[in-house]
Amino acid sequence: MKFKSFKLFMLFGVLGSFTTFAQEVGQVTRLVSPEISASNDVTFRLKAPSATSVKLSGNWMPNIPSANGMGGTRKMVDMVKDDKGVWSTTVKALAPELYGYTFLVDDVNTLDPSNLKVARDGTFRTESLLYVPGAESDLYWAKTGPKGAVHQIWYDSKTLNLTRRMQVYTPPGYDASKDSYPVLYLLHGGGGDEEAWPTLGVAPNILDNLINSGKAKPMIVVMTNGNPTQAAAVVVTPPLPKADPNPMGMASMMFEKSLVADVIPYIESNFRVKKNKENRALTGLSMGGLQTMNTSFDNPNLFNYIGVMSMGFTDMSRFGIKVDLSKRDQQIEDLKKAKPSMYWIACGKEDFLYESVVTMRKELDKHTFKYTYRESPGGHTWTNWRVYLSEFATMIFK
Amino acid sequence: MKFKSFKLFMLFGVLGSFTTFAQEVGQVTRLVSPEISASNDVTFRLKAPSATSVKLSGNWMPNIPSANGMGGTRKMVDMVKDDKGVWSTTVKALAPELYGYTFLVDDVNTLDPSNLKVARDGTFRTESLLYVPGAESDLYWAKTGPKGAVHQIWYDSKTLNLTRRMQVYTPPGYDASKDSYPVLYLLHGGGGDEEAWPTLGVAPNILDNLINSGKAKPMIVVMTNGNPTQAAAVVVTPPLPKADPNPMGMASMMFEKSLVADVIPYIESNFRVKKNKENRALTGLSMGGLQTMNTSFDNPNLFNYIGVMSMGFTDMSRFGIKVDLSKRDQQIEDLKKAKPSMYWIACGKEDFLYESVVTMRKELDKHTFKYTYRESPGGHTWTNWRVYLSEFATMIFK
């Protein structure tokens, strides 16, 4: 059992910003968890003397699919209690990555109280974060060196009749420069919102690191909220109006319309931006991949770099969504004529939407439509989406 | 027991942004918690069939002080299990406020999994958030209407030899305007960081609401990281260098020096700012109150509005801090001569630093130094600090 001394913590605590001052003063030590060894063995610890069982659930653990392929359960690890009531387990040689994990205390999900790094995964859950260092996760860390800024701003969407929130990354040097910059529009998936890419996606760190090493061009990155009924992430919107979801759901393509009619003009009026096709890129994952397809099909001359992550041509009717496919052949031809410099499709081999990407490629091939295909291991995961962004960002505006 | 249907959640989930896709599909319903009635009765629910005990801990609950006045425990409420394994309790007529709470599952703190609104209280904990609506909490909500922006930016501190993060609020209309604005420097307490005021302090909402109703002047609000050893909040800094805390601790007054030498020049070069004493205000809570005192004593002509929240003249030696008090009489005289328009002191009657504020007022009275004193109920709490900001912001730049 390992504790960390917190003399300074206590000192600051006494002058501190918390309600229950009195409770904290005794807390001069805190369990160290997670603890990462030089060989990336990771030890997790939780003090829970009254618990009957404590398990570790991490997103590196395999999922056991259910019979219909749609359900399943994550394989979890039982933690072991010592005589002080501290439960622990060590995971050997975890691959470098940014992970999410929780403890299950008598089957209830809890954060790791020793770990202040947490992230919300959309409307699903809040998890503790674990960075395991190494080559594969090197772009995800905040490092010394020049840094971009993230602006949380609100813009009026006439299309959606909402004042909406988005996050805009400006690259290192933006404020000091008088240059205009190219813009990447970066869309999240279903269940996510405008906080997804800046947090779980670590887009600001990835861009800072790629730009500082010369691997990506300095660019502005616009991270919108892709849910057309929402003004902003649920965490900031309790009293804000919510549009009726029926005419505004994903199938309405209302977000796509607002992206073109509201977001792009706002960015091009309020930031120093190069306002032409050559300097616009669009990519998104899952639902955002669908929105990327829809937007680029409907506006073939708007974007020069298009990236579809973890999404293909899927039969949306299984989700109760009717999509008009009668125009698709013409849309593919129109986009082909527009000759975007890059149409990039990326998918994991184990992605549940893998077959939809196979279908999409077949359809595009029929039209001899040029695209680049990137297949990775793994499934429908942030691990893949961070890798895809890390690659996509190096190939655009060049 | 009350469940909420999540058909849309499921639909988006299928196209979703999460790793464990398979686990989520079954989750078509989610417990409603917290549920707030028209009379502000609040019901909390947690599904935990395997737990032996579940308690509710909320920061509206009284703290039972220990014998030495420095410790204590929060009075908690036992929740009751029904035959489905759902634990619940109802708190009657909670006063309108923004609260933090957790569940204790067999004595381990957990978030409310039904509630996505969470906030980190500095280095102490992450809690679920509960907004109870009403007059007293009305300023804390995001509302329709014009909105300011929050900019997460990094600046170079030569004083601290770090590239550091801060959050800057620009008011509604800033981008569209060509005006210059006054600036409020708003400091957090011990254990906090640059994320404290934008989250638990809800400063952006308070300012939006006060400015939109004409009660406060449009202003820029600068929320720094007041820990001189830190580049940024621990959640974003894993690999960033940390200065040696010994020469850089609170007693070093190095943050105060960097505020004047690095932060103010950065803001005045990078934002449209009125660059004179009349248009600068400084306030902070607890440790930030100490920093407010120190900075204004050392720079008597820099700020026209000074607010010291929940901090007075205290014997810092009990925290192992040596402060040179030999200059204080002269400092008070110098600040008196500089005639700031307002020197505001605010403290709760039950604040553990209350006596230090009594001492401070006596010292200032000896010098016939003019100040305004605001005494509130309650203690060293975010409830008070939000109220103080809400009042302070209406009195400055007028």
Side-chain angles (χ1 to χ4, degrees):
Chain A
M1 171 170 38
K2 186 163 174 185
F3 287 96
K4 197 169 163 185
S5 166
F6 270 91
K7 197 180 164 195
L8 203 73
F9 169 86
M10 184 181 162
L11 182 154
F12 278 92
V14 170
L15 302 166
S17 61
F18 47 90
T19 306
T20 53
F21 156 75
Q23 289 190 331
E24 297 295 339
V25 172
Q27 191 179 335
V28 267
T29 55
R30 185 179 273 181
L31 271 174
V32 174
S33 178
E35 183 180 17
I36 306 176
S37 79
S39 53
N40 285 350
D41 296 347
V42 183
T43 301
F44 300 85
R45 298 181 178 92
L46 178 74
K47 186 157 191 177
S50 314
T52 307
S53 98
V54 178
K55 290 174 193 158
L56 169 67
S57 171
N59 67 0
W60 61 88
M61 296 173 179
N63 200 57
I64 309 158
S66 70
N68 65 6
M70 296 283 281
T73 46
R74 185 183 282 174
K75 203 169 185 313
M76 285 180 282
V77 168
D78 288 316
M79 295 170 72
V80 177
K81 185 162 75 164
D82 72 9
D83 57 1
K84 299 273 169 42
V86 174
W87 300 72
S88 67
T89 190
T90 297
V91 180
K92 293 280 174 191
L94 255 180
E97 183 50 85
L98 170 56
Y99 297 106
Y101 71 96
T102 56
F103 296 136
L104 279 96
V105 176
D106 291 334
D107 299 325
V108 176
N109 261 299
T110 73
L111 296 181
D112 181 348
S114 298
N115 181 358
L116 294 163
K117 295 169 194 69
V118 301
R120 179 175 58 88
D121 188 2
T123 53
F124 305 116
R125 71 179 73 75
T126 300
E127 290 192 321
S128 297
L129 284 184
L130 165 66
Y131 277 91
V132 177
E136 298 90 329
S137 62
D138 196 49
L139 287 173
Y140 309 158
W141 294 66
K143 294 185 187 160
T144 52
K147 289 201 182 316
V150 176
H151 311 272
Q152 299 171 332
I153 56 183
W154 296 79
Y155 67 100
D156 288 324
S157 169
K158 287 190 180 159
T159 310
L160 303 177
N161 194 27
L162 287 172
T163 299
R164 309 187 79 229
R165 190 163 171 260
M166 61 178 155
Q167 307 225 32
V168 180
Y169 166 88
T170 51
Y174 178 86
D175 281 337
S177 165
K178 289 185 176 174
D179 291 348
S180 290
Y181 290 79
V183 184
L184 166 61
Y185 295 87
L186 181 60
L187 311 183
H188 62 79
D193 52 53
E194 76 277 14
E195 297 191 342
W197 272 112
T199 57
L200 277 176
V202 289
N205 289 353
I206 291 172
L207 269 291
D208 281 352
N209 291 326
L210 288 176
I211 291 168
N212 289 337
S213 66
K215 288 178 187 156
K217 294 277 183 195
M219 66 183 83
I220 289 170
V221 182
V222 177
M223 296 165 280
T224 55
N225 182 312
N227 310 304
T229 61
Q230 262 189 347
V234 290
V235 289
V236 289
T237 51
L240 290 172
K242 234 182 148 173
D244 179 351
N246 292 324
M248 296 273 270
M250 189 162 57
S252 69
M253 299 206 209
M254 289 297 279
F255 170 74
E256 290 87 327
K257 289 185 181 79
S258 74
L259 178 65
V260 173
D262 306 321
V263 175
I264 294 175
Y266 181 92
I267 294 298
E268 297 192 349
S269 306
N270 287 278
F271 291 84
R272 293 197 319 277
V273 164
K274 291 181 177 162
K275 306 177 190 184
N276 55 32
K277 176 183 166 181
E278 283 64 36
N279 287 290
R280 286 191 209 104
L282 173 65
T283 188
L285 66 95
S286 196
M287 179 180 85
L290 181 69
Q291 292 167 336
T292 295
M293 281 184 221
N294 291 340
T295 308
S296 54
F297 280 146
D298 282 347
N299 305 273
N301 285 297
L302 209 50
F303 304 97
N304 201 31
Y305 307 91
I306 299 157
V308 177
M309 306 176 178
S310 300
M311 176 54 77
F313 289 175
T314 181
D315 178 6
M316 303 297 285
S317 66
R318 65 167 159 158
F319 307 127
I321 297 177
K322 285 177 195 166
V323 178
D324 178 9
L325 294 178
S326 63
K327 297 180 198 157
R328 184 167 282 166
D329 285 336
Q330 190 56 51
Q331 285 175 322
I332 295 172
E333 286 298 323
D334 290 346
L335 191 56
K336 185 179 163 185
K337 252 178 245 158
K339 293 186 183 169
S341 282
M342 182 168 70
Y343 195 97
W344 196 69
I345 303 168
C347 192
K349 274 194 165 175
E350 295 154 44
D351 197 310
F352 74 99
L353 291 171
Y354 183 84
E355 282 307 316
S356 75
V357 176
V358 173
T359 304
M360 178 184 189
R361 291 165 56 206
K362 278 185 194 155
E363 290 287 322
L364 295 179
D365 288 342
K366 272 191 210 163
H367 291 269
T368 63
F369 179 94
K370 267 199 264 178
Y371 59 85
T372 308
Y373 179 54
R374 160 71 159 109
E375 191 168 284
S376 67
H380 209 70
T381 65
W382 273 108
T383 298
N384 271 336
W385 302 324
R386 286 185 292 259
V387 168
Y388 300 160
L389 173 63
S390 305
E391 295 178 4
F392 187 76
T394 64
M395 296 185 288
I396 59 181
F397 310 130
K398 290 194 166 169
Chain B
M1 170 169 37
K2 187 164 173 184
F3 288 95
K4 197 169 165 185
S5 167
F6 271 91
K7 197 181 163 193
L8 204 73
F9 168 86
M10 185 181 162
L11 181 153
F12 278 92
V14 170
L15 302 166
S17 61
F18 47 90
T19 306
T20 52
F21 157 75
Q23 289 192 329
E24 296 295 339
V25 173
Q27 191 179 335
V28 268
T29 55
R30 185 178 272 180
L31 270 173
V32 175
S33 178
E35 183 182 15
I36 306 177
S37 79
S39 52
N40 285 349
D41 296 346
V42 183
T43 300
F44 300 86
R45 298 181 179 93
L46 178 74
K47 185 158 190 176
S50 314
T52 307
S53 98
V54 178
K55 291 172 193 161
L56 170 67
S57 171
N59 66 1
W60 61 88
M61 296 174 178
N63 199 57
I64 308 158
S66 71
N68 65 6
M70 297 283 281
T73 46
R74 187 184 280 174
K75 203 170 185 314
M76 286 180 281
V77 169
D78 288 316
M79 295 171 72
V80 176
K81 185 164 74 163
D82 71 9
D83 57 1
K84 299 271 170 36
V86 173
W87 301 72
S88 67
T89 190
T90 298
V91 180
K92 292 281 175 189
L94 255 180
E97 183 50 84
L98 170 56
Y99 297 106
Y101 71 96
T102 56
F103 297 136
L104 279 96
V105 176
D106 291 335
D107 300 325
V108 175
N109 262 299
T110 72
L111 297 181
D112 181 347
S114 299
N115 180 359
L116 294 163
K117 295 168 194 71
V118 301
R120 180 176 57 88
D121 189 1
T123 53
F124 304 116
R125 70 180 73 75
T126 300
E127 291 192 319
S128 296
L129 284 184
L130 165 66
Y131 277 90
V132 177
E136 298 90 328
S137 63
D138 196 49
L139 287 173
Y140 308 158
W141 294 65
K143 295 186 186 160
T144 52
K147 288 202 184 314
V150 176
H151 311 272
Q152 299 172 334
I153 57 184
W154 296 78
Y155 67 100
D156 289 324
S157 169
K158 287 190 180 159
T159 310
L160 303 177
N161 195 28
L162 288 172
T163 299
R164 309 188 78 228
R165 190 163 171 260
M166 61 178 156
Q167 307 224 31
V168 180
Y169 166 89
T170 51
Y174 177 87
D175 281 337
S177 164
K178 290 185 174 173
D179 291 349
S180 290
Y181 290 80
V183 184
L184 166 61
Y185 295 87
L186 180 60
L187 312 183
H188 63 80
D193 53 51
E194 76 277 15
E195 297 191 341
W197 272 112
T199 56
L200 277 176
V202 289
N205 289 353
I206 290 172
L207 268 291
D208 280 353
N209 291 327
L210 288 176
I211 290 168
N212 289 337
S213 65
K215 288 178 187 156
K217 294 277 182 194
M219 67 183 83
I220 289 169
V221 182
V222 177
M223 295 165 281
T224 55
N225 181 312
N227 310 304
T229 61
Q230 262 189 347
V234 290
V235 290
V236 289
T237 52
L240 290 172
K242 233 183 148 174
D244 179 350
N246 292 323
M248 294 274 271
M250 188 163 59
S252 70
M253 299 208 209
M254 290 298 279
F255 171 74
E256 290 88 327
K257 289 185 181 77
S258 75
L259 178 64
V260 173
D262 306 321
V263 176
I264 295 176
Y266 181 91
I267 295 297
E268 297 191 350
S269 306
N270 288 279
F271 290 85
R272 293 198 318 279
V273 163
K274 290 181 177 162
K275 306 176 191 183
N276 55 32
K277 176 183 166 182
E278 284 64 36
N279 288 289
R280 285 190 210 105
L282 173 64
T283 188
L285 66 95
S286 196
M287 180 181 85
L290 180 69
Q291 292 167 335
T292 295
M293 280 183 221
N294 291 340
T295 309
S296 54
F297 280 146
D298 282 346
N299 305 273
N301 285 297
L302 209 51
F303 303 97
N304 201 31
Y305 307 91
I306 299 156
V308 178
M309 307 176 178
S310 302
M311 177 52 77
F313 290 176
T314 181
D315 178 7
M316 303 296 285
S317 66
R318 66 168 159 158
F319 307 127
I321 297 177
K322 284 178 195 167
V323 177
D324 179 9
L325 294 178
S326 62
K327 297 181 198 158
R328 184 168 280 166
D329 285 336
Q330 190 57 50
Q331 286 174 320
I332 296 173
E333 286 298 322
D334 290 347
L335 191 56
K336 184 179 162 186
K337 253 179 243 159
K339 293 187 182 170
S341 282
M342 182 168 71
Y343 195 96
W344 195 70
I345 302 169
C347 193
K349 275 194 164 176
E350 295 154 44
D351 197 308
F352 75 99
L353 291 172
Y354 183 84
E355 282 308 315
S356 75
V357 177
V358 173
T359 304
M360 178 184 190
R361 290 166 57 206
K362 277 184 194 157
E363 289 287 322
L364 295 179
D365 288 342
K366 272 190 210 164
H367 290 271
T368 63
F369 180 94
K370 266 199 263 180
Y371 60 85
T372 308
Y373 179 54
R374 160 74 158 106
E375 191 168 283
S376 67
H380 209 71
T381 64
W382 273 109
T383 299
N384 271 336
W385 303 324
R386 287 185 292 258
V387 168
Y388 300 159
L389 173 62
S390 304
E391 295 178 5
F392 187 76
T394 64
M395 297 186 287
I396 59 181
F397 310 130
K398 290 198 167 167

